[in-house]
Amino acid sequence: PFLARAPMKLCPTGHATHPQWRMAAALVLAQLRAQMALPAYAQAPALGLLYITDHYAAQAQELLDHLSAELREVTDWSGTVGVGVCASNAEYFDEPALAVMLVELPCDQYRVFSGVAPLPRGGASGFVAHTALVHADGHTPDVAGLIAEMAERTTSGYVFGGLSASRGANVQFAVGGSGNLAGQGAAGGVFGGGLSGVAFSADVALLSRVTQGCQPVGPTHRITAAKDNVVLQLDGEPALDVLLHTLDVSLEGDPQQAVQRVRTTLAGLMDADSAPAGRTGHFGTDTRVRHIIGLDGVRHGVALADMVEPGMRLAFCQRNVAAARADLMRICAEIREELAPGELDLLSQGGALAGSGLEHARGAPQGAPVTHPERHIAGALYVSCSGRGGPHFGGPGAELQIVRHALGDVPLVGFFAGGEIAHQHLYGYTGVLTVFCSN
């Protein structure tokens, strides 16, 4: 007979800003301990998620050692640095701050990984990764390829997280303790370069969504000629001519205005088999937004901050506040709907990984529809682009206020990244919202 596990308890969270990291840590610890004393919150969490702003990057090791000494029950840590961190409806941008979430999961349901203790393929250690929270250093060569390779090590093919963002050291936290992979301890838990994070088994119930921050300003085209990172032709026409026509500008008539318009324009890239050409409106999760980094007047090409190849699709786009707000509200509403009572298709016995995150189409096993009582959000992770945040949404904390209004006052932490990770892709100008669900 199936034995139901105890519902996942709320994740204690703490966040603070202070010029001295010890004072900020003391404030965070006080919040965590106060919540851990409450019946609804986890009282023996072993996994800690730690996000700091780059003001504390130089003291990352001291800060981790201090938190580890004060929270003896927490044997595993993961996290990174951002130009900002967030918690609940608070955003800390360009100021010294940290945010911590503690998660109570059985030790056989997750694994911390890093360059010292990489995640093995195919469950070689007895642990089978279904999905993973990934932190990565954007300066690492072929980081997008490494993210895709990490996704291949999971049974769902879905990973989520973001790139470190720092004006100093791009530090990552990765400490594996009880029940985790050997070889981690000697490194001290603070890393630079590569990938690290936490892999979760199919028993951990997660919901994940990607929200886009840009809107297309023209139709979707097929790339018909390209070399390296330069788009040469779109639908058989010179790419530069298509760009200028889309923006209704001319390099001959008013070159200054043309260059100004191009500077505010981005390119949304899609794989060859994604969307039909000519689509307009809103971007889906198949679109990765990239910067236009140059114009090739000789070949009439457009250079992008990514490699391109014929067959891919492209739509020029611009950042759009109204579209970003609406899309953020949409993903929050979808998560609330997934949590409502009713007939739910479970991807695995005991865990639903659904939506634009982990769909049945990704090959995860499908069970018969199961009547599931309403689940609650035990904790949430939000990784947003460093180019988004409150100012982009209309004021300090505005982006997180939208999330809180839509999801309710749930435990939430996250950071503002140099690139966002979802599915098996690296995104830009997006937000990735992932929630831990009680069963």
Short mmCIF file of all heavy atoms in Angstrom, two decimals, residues 155-206:
data_model
loop_
_atom_site.label_atom_id
_atom_site.label_comp_id
_atom_site.label_asym_id
_atom_site.label_seq_id
_atom_site.Cartn_x
_atom_site.Cartn_y
_atom_site.Cartn_z
N THR A 155 16.49 13.23 -15.16
CA THR A 155 15.50 12.43 -15.88
C THR A 155 14.42 13.29 -16.51
O THR A 155 13.74 12.85 -17.44
CB THR A 155 14.85 11.40 -14.94
OG1 THR A 155 14.26 12.09 -13.82
CG2 THR A 155 15.88 10.40 -14.43
N SER A 156 14.22 14.51 -16.02
CA SER A 156 13.21 15.39 -16.60
C SER A 156 13.75 16.25 -17.72
O SER A 156 13.00 16.77 -18.55
CB SER A 156 12.64 16.31 -15.51
OG SER A 156 13.63 17.24 -15.09
N GLY A 157 15.08 16.46 -17.76
CA GLY A 157 15.68 17.36 -18.73
C GLY A 157 15.48 18.82 -18.39
O GLY A 157 15.71 19.70 -19.21
N TYR A 158 15.06 19.10 -17.14
CA TYR A 158 14.77 20.48 -16.73
C TYR A 158 15.69 20.88 -15.59
O TYR A 158 15.77 20.19 -14.57
CB TYR A 158 13.32 20.59 -16.28
CG TYR A 158 12.90 22.02 -15.97
CD1 TYR A 158 12.29 22.80 -16.95
CD2 TYR A 158 13.10 22.59 -14.72
CE1 TYR A 158 11.91 24.11 -16.69
CE2 TYR A 158 12.72 23.89 -14.45
CZ TYR A 158 12.13 24.65 -15.43
OH TYR A 158 11.76 25.94 -15.17
N VAL A 159 16.36 22.03 -15.77
CA VAL A 159 17.14 22.62 -14.68
C VAL A 159 16.72 24.08 -14.55
O VAL A 159 16.19 24.68 -15.49
CB VAL A 159 18.66 22.51 -14.91
CG1 VAL A 159 19.10 21.05 -14.87
CG2 VAL A 159 19.07 23.15 -16.23
N PHE A 160 16.96 24.68 -13.41
CA PHE A 160 16.56 26.06 -13.17
C PHE A 160 17.61 26.74 -12.29
O PHE A 160 18.33 26.08 -11.54
CB PHE A 160 15.18 26.13 -12.50
CG PHE A 160 15.10 25.41 -11.18
CD1 PHE A 160 15.27 26.08 -9.97
CD2 PHE A 160 14.86 24.03 -11.12
CE1 PHE A 160 15.19 25.43 -8.75
CE2 PHE A 160 14.79 23.36 -9.91
CZ PHE A 160 14.96 24.05 -8.73
N GLY A 161 17.72 28.07 -12.40
CA GLY A 161 18.70 28.79 -11.60
C GLY A 161 19.17 30.03 -12.33
O GLY A 161 18.39 30.69 -13.03
N GLY A 162 20.47 30.36 -12.19
CA GLY A 162 20.97 31.55 -12.83
C GLY A 162 22.47 31.69 -12.75
O GLY A 162 23.15 30.93 -12.05
N LEU A 163 22.99 32.66 -13.50
CA LEU A 163 24.42 32.96 -13.50
C LEU A 163 24.75 33.95 -12.38
O LEU A 163 23.98 34.88 -12.13
CB LEU A 163 24.84 33.59 -14.84
CG LEU A 163 24.60 32.81 -16.12
CD1 LEU A 163 25.22 33.56 -17.30
CD2 LEU A 163 25.16 31.40 -16.03
N SER A 164 25.89 33.76 -11.74
CA SER A 164 26.38 34.72 -10.77
C SER A 164 26.48 36.10 -11.42
O SER A 164 26.75 36.21 -12.61
CB SER A 164 27.76 34.31 -10.26
OG SER A 164 27.75 32.98 -9.77
N ALA A 165 26.25 37.14 -10.63
CA ALA A 165 26.39 38.51 -11.12
C ALA A 165 27.12 39.31 -10.06
O ALA A 165 26.63 39.45 -8.94
CB ALA A 165 25.03 39.13 -11.43
N SER A 166 28.31 39.79 -10.41
CA SER A 166 29.13 40.46 -9.40
C SER A 166 30.11 41.41 -10.05
O SER A 166 30.63 41.14 -11.13
CB SER A 166 29.90 39.42 -8.57
OG SER A 166 30.79 40.03 -7.67
N ARG A 167 30.36 42.54 -9.37
CA ARG A 167 31.42 43.45 -9.80
C ARG A 167 32.76 43.05 -9.18
O ARG A 167 33.78 43.67 -9.44
CB ARG A 167 31.04 44.88 -9.41
CG ARG A 167 29.89 45.43 -10.24
CD ARG A 167 29.20 46.59 -9.58
NE ARG A 167 28.47 46.16 -8.39
CZ ARG A 167 27.59 46.92 -7.74
NH1 ARG A 167 27.32 48.13 -8.17
NH2 ARG A 167 26.98 46.46 -6.67
N GLY A 168 32.71 41.98 -8.37
CA GLY A 168 33.92 41.43 -7.78
C GLY A 168 34.02 39.96 -8.12
O GLY A 168 33.91 39.57 -9.28
N ALA A 169 34.19 39.13 -7.10
CA ALA A 169 34.33 37.69 -7.31
C ALA A 169 32.97 37.05 -7.60
O ALA A 169 31.98 37.34 -6.93
CB ALA A 169 34.96 37.04 -6.07
N ASN A 170 32.94 36.16 -8.60
CA ASN A 170 31.72 35.40 -8.92
C ASN A 170 31.68 34.12 -8.08
O ASN A 170 31.90 33.02 -8.60
CB ASN A 170 31.68 35.07 -10.41
CG ASN A 170 31.18 36.22 -11.24
OD1 ASN A 170 30.17 36.84 -10.93
ND2 ASN A 170 31.91 36.55 -12.29
N VAL A 171 31.42 34.27 -6.82
CA VAL A 171 31.49 33.13 -5.91
C VAL A 171 30.22 32.28 -5.97
O VAL A 171 29.14 32.77 -6.28
CB VAL A 171 31.74 33.58 -4.45
CG1 VAL A 171 33.09 34.27 -4.33
CG2 VAL A 171 30.62 34.49 -3.96
N GLN A 172 30.41 31.00 -5.69
CA GLN A 172 29.31 30.07 -5.52
C GLN A 172 29.51 29.32 -4.21
O GLN A 172 30.64 29.06 -3.81
CB GLN A 172 29.25 29.06 -6.67
CG GLN A 172 29.04 29.69 -8.04
CD GLN A 172 29.19 28.67 -9.15
OE1 GLN A 172 28.65 27.56 -9.08
NE2 GLN A 172 29.95 29.01 -10.19
N PHE A 173 28.39 28.97 -3.57
CA PHE A 173 28.44 28.17 -2.34
C PHE A 173 28.00 26.76 -2.66
O PHE A 173 26.98 26.55 -3.32
CB PHE A 173 27.51 28.77 -1.28
CG PHE A 173 27.83 30.19 -0.92
CD1 PHE A 173 27.05 31.24 -1.39
CD2 PHE A 173 28.92 30.49 -0.11
CE1 PHE A 173 27.34 32.56 -1.06
CE2 PHE A 173 29.22 31.81 0.22
CZ PHE A 173 28.42 32.84 -0.26
N ALA A 174 28.76 25.77 -2.21
CA ALA A 174 28.38 24.37 -2.41
C ALA A 174 29.03 23.51 -1.34
O ALA A 174 30.23 23.23 -1.39
CB ALA A 174 28.81 23.89 -3.80
N VAL A 175 28.24 23.14 -0.36
CA VAL A 175 28.70 22.28 0.73
C VAL A 175 27.80 21.06 0.80
O VAL A 175 26.58 21.20 0.94
CB VAL A 175 28.68 23.01 2.09
CG1 VAL A 175 29.06 22.06 3.22
CG2 VAL A 175 29.61 24.22 2.06
N GLY A 176 28.37 19.88 0.66
CA GLY A 176 27.62 18.64 0.78
C GLY A 176 27.97 17.94 2.07
O GLY A 176 29.14 17.64 2.33
N GLY A 177 26.99 17.69 2.89
CA GLY A 177 27.24 17.05 4.19
C GLY A 177 26.64 15.67 4.26
O GLY A 177 26.91 14.82 3.42
N SER A 178 25.76 15.46 5.22
CA SER A 178 25.17 14.15 5.48
C SER A 178 24.43 13.62 4.25
O SER A 178 23.59 14.29 3.67
CB SER A 178 24.19 14.25 6.65
OG SER A 178 23.53 13.04 6.85
N GLY A 179 24.79 12.42 3.85
CA GLY A 179 24.10 11.76 2.76
C GLY A 179 24.48 12.26 1.38
O GLY A 179 23.88 11.85 0.40
N ASN A 180 25.45 13.15 1.29
CA ASN A 180 25.81 13.70 -0.01
C ASN A 180 27.12 13.13 -0.52
O ASN A 180 27.76 12.28 0.11
CB ASN A 180 25.86 15.22 0.05
CG ASN A 180 24.46 15.80 -0.07
OD1 ASN A 180 24.03 16.18 -1.14
ND2 ASN A 180 23.76 15.85 1.05
N LEU A 181 27.55 13.64 -1.66
CA LEU A 181 28.70 13.09 -2.33
C LEU A 181 30.00 13.39 -1.58
O LEU A 181 30.19 14.47 -1.04
CB LEU A 181 28.80 13.66 -3.75
CG LEU A 181 27.58 13.38 -4.64
CD1 LEU A 181 27.72 14.11 -5.95
CD2 LEU A 181 27.44 11.89 -4.88
N ALA A 182 30.88 12.44 -1.58
CA ALA A 182 32.16 12.60 -0.89
C ALA A 182 33.07 13.53 -1.68
O ALA A 182 32.88 13.77 -2.86
CB ALA A 182 32.83 11.24 -0.73
N GLY A 183 34.08 14.07 -1.01
CA GLY A 183 35.08 14.87 -1.68
C GLY A 183 34.83 16.36 -1.64
O GLY A 183 35.57 17.14 -2.19
N GLN A 184 33.76 16.76 -0.96
CA GLN A 184 33.36 18.16 -0.98
C GLN A 184 34.06 18.99 0.10
O GLN A 184 34.40 20.14 -0.10
CB GLN A 184 31.85 18.25 -0.78
CG GLN A 184 31.26 19.59 -1.16
CD GLN A 184 30.59 19.56 -2.51
OE1 GLN A 184 30.24 18.52 -2.99
NE2 GLN A 184 30.43 20.69 -3.12
N GLY A 185 34.22 18.41 1.27
CA GLY A 185 34.58 19.19 2.44
C GLY A 185 35.87 19.97 2.36
O GLY A 185 35.95 21.08 2.85
N ALA A 186 36.89 19.41 1.74
CA ALA A 186 38.20 20.05 1.75
C ALA A 186 38.22 21.38 1.03
O ALA A 186 39.09 22.20 1.26
CB ALA A 186 39.23 19.11 1.13
N ALA A 187 37.25 21.63 0.16
CA ALA A 187 37.25 22.84 -0.63
C ALA A 187 36.71 24.05 0.12
O ALA A 187 36.81 25.16 -0.36
CB ALA A 187 36.45 22.63 -1.91
N GLY A 188 36.12 23.84 1.27
CA GLY A 188 35.63 24.95 2.06
C GLY A 188 34.27 25.47 1.66
O GLY A 188 33.70 26.32 2.32
N GLY A 189 33.75 24.99 0.55
CA GLY A 189 32.38 25.32 0.19
C GLY A 189 32.21 26.57 -0.65
O GLY A 189 31.09 26.87 -1.06
N VAL A 190 33.28 27.34 -0.90
CA VAL A 190 33.17 28.54 -1.74
C VAL A 190 33.97 28.31 -3.02
O VAL A 190 35.16 27.98 -2.97
CB VAL A 190 33.68 29.80 -1.01
CG1 VAL A 190 33.65 31.01 -1.93
CG2 VAL A 190 32.83 30.06 0.23
N PHE A 191 33.32 28.48 -4.18
CA PHE A 191 33.92 28.15 -5.46
C PHE A 191 33.85 29.32 -6.41
O PHE A 191 33.04 30.24 -6.26
CB PHE A 191 33.19 26.96 -6.10
CG PHE A 191 33.26 25.69 -5.30
CD1 PHE A 191 32.34 25.42 -4.30
CD2 PHE A 191 34.27 24.76 -5.54
CE1 PHE A 191 32.40 24.25 -3.56
CE2 PHE A 191 34.34 23.59 -4.81
CZ PHE A 191 33.41 23.34 -3.82
N GLY A 192 34.69 29.28 -7.43
CA GLY A 192 34.63 30.22 -8.53
C GLY A 192 34.73 29.46 -9.83
O GLY A 192 35.51 28.52 -9.96
N GLY A 193 33.91 29.83 -10.82
CA GLY A 193 33.94 29.15 -12.11
C GLY A 193 33.07 27.91 -12.14
O GLY A 193 32.75 27.32 -11.11
N GLY A 194 32.67 27.51 -13.33
CA GLY A 194 31.91 26.28 -13.50
C GLY A 194 30.50 26.35 -12.97
O GLY A 194 29.89 27.42 -12.85
N LEU A 195 29.98 25.16 -12.62
CA LEU A 195 28.60 25.01 -12.16
C LEU A 195 28.57 24.39 -10.78
O LEU A 195 29.44 23.59 -10.41
CB LEU A 195 27.82 24.10 -13.12
CG LEU A 195 27.15 24.70 -14.37
CD1 LEU A 195 28.18 25.35 -15.27
CD2 LEU A 195 26.38 23.61 -15.11
N SER A 196 27.55 24.74 -10.03
CA SER A 196 27.26 24.07 -8.76
C SER A 196 25.76 24.16 -8.53
O SER A 196 25.05 24.83 -9.28
CB SER A 196 28.03 24.72 -7.60
OG SER A 196 27.56 26.04 -7.36
N GLY A 197 25.29 23.49 -7.49
CA GLY A 197 23.86 23.58 -7.20
C GLY A 197 23.35 22.40 -6.41
O GLY A 197 24.11 21.72 -5.72
N VAL A 198 22.06 22.15 -6.53
CA VAL A 198 21.40 21.06 -5.82
C VAL A 198 20.55 20.27 -6.81
O VAL A 198 19.70 20.85 -7.50
CB VAL A 198 20.49 21.58 -4.69
CG1 VAL A 198 19.96 20.41 -3.85
CG2 VAL A 198 21.22 22.57 -3.80
N ALA A 199 20.77 18.97 -6.87
CA ALA A 199 19.91 18.10 -7.68
C ALA A 199 18.84 17.52 -6.77
O ALA A 199 19.10 17.20 -5.61
CB ALA A 199 20.74 16.99 -8.31
N PHE A 200 17.63 17.38 -7.31
CA PHE A 200 16.51 16.86 -6.54
C PHE A 200 15.97 15.58 -7.18
O PHE A 200 15.94 15.46 -8.41
CB PHE A 200 15.38 17.89 -6.45
CG PHE A 200 15.78 19.18 -5.78
CD1 PHE A 200 16.13 20.28 -6.54
CD2 PHE A 200 15.82 19.28 -4.40
CE1 PHE A 200 16.51 21.47 -5.93
CE2 PHE A 200 16.18 20.46 -3.78
CZ PHE A 200 16.53 21.56 -4.54
N SER A 201 15.54 14.67 -6.36
CA SER A 201 14.95 13.43 -6.87
C SER A 201 13.50 13.69 -7.27
O SER A 201 12.94 14.77 -7.01
CB SER A 201 15.01 12.33 -5.81
OG SER A 201 14.02 12.56 -4.81
N ALA A 202 12.87 12.69 -7.87
CA ALA A 202 11.48 12.82 -8.30
C ALA A 202 10.52 12.92 -7.13
O ALA A 202 9.34 13.26 -7.30
CB ALA A 202 11.10 11.64 -9.19
N ASP A 203 11.00 12.64 -5.91
CA ASP A 203 10.14 12.72 -4.73
C ASP A 203 9.92 14.15 -4.26
O ASP A 203 9.06 14.41 -3.43
CB ASP A 203 10.73 11.90 -3.58
CG ASP A 203 10.71 10.41 -3.87
OD1 ASP A 203 9.66 9.93 -4.31
OD2 ASP A 203 11.73 9.75 -3.64
N VAL A 204 10.74 15.08 -4.76
CA VAL A 204 10.60 16.48 -4.35
C VAL A 204 9.64 17.17 -5.32
O VAL A 204 9.90 17.25 -6.52
CB VAL A 204 11.97 17.20 -4.35
CG1 VAL A 204 11.80 18.65 -3.92
CG2 VAL A 204 12.94 16.47 -3.42
N ALA A 205 8.53 17.64 -4.80
CA ALA A 205 7.49 18.24 -5.64
C ALA A 205 7.84 19.69 -5.94
O ALA A 205 7.95 20.52 -5.04
CB ALA A 205 6.14 18.17 -4.94
N LEU A 206 8.01 19.99 -7.22
CA LEU A 206 8.38 21.34 -7.67
C LEU A 206 7.46 21.79 -8.80
O LEU A 206 6.99 20.98 -9.60
CB LEU A 206 9.81 21.38 -8.18
CG LEU A 206 10.94 21.07 -7.22
CD1 LEU A 206 12.24 20.93 -7.99
CD2 LEU A 206 11.06 22.17 -6.18
#
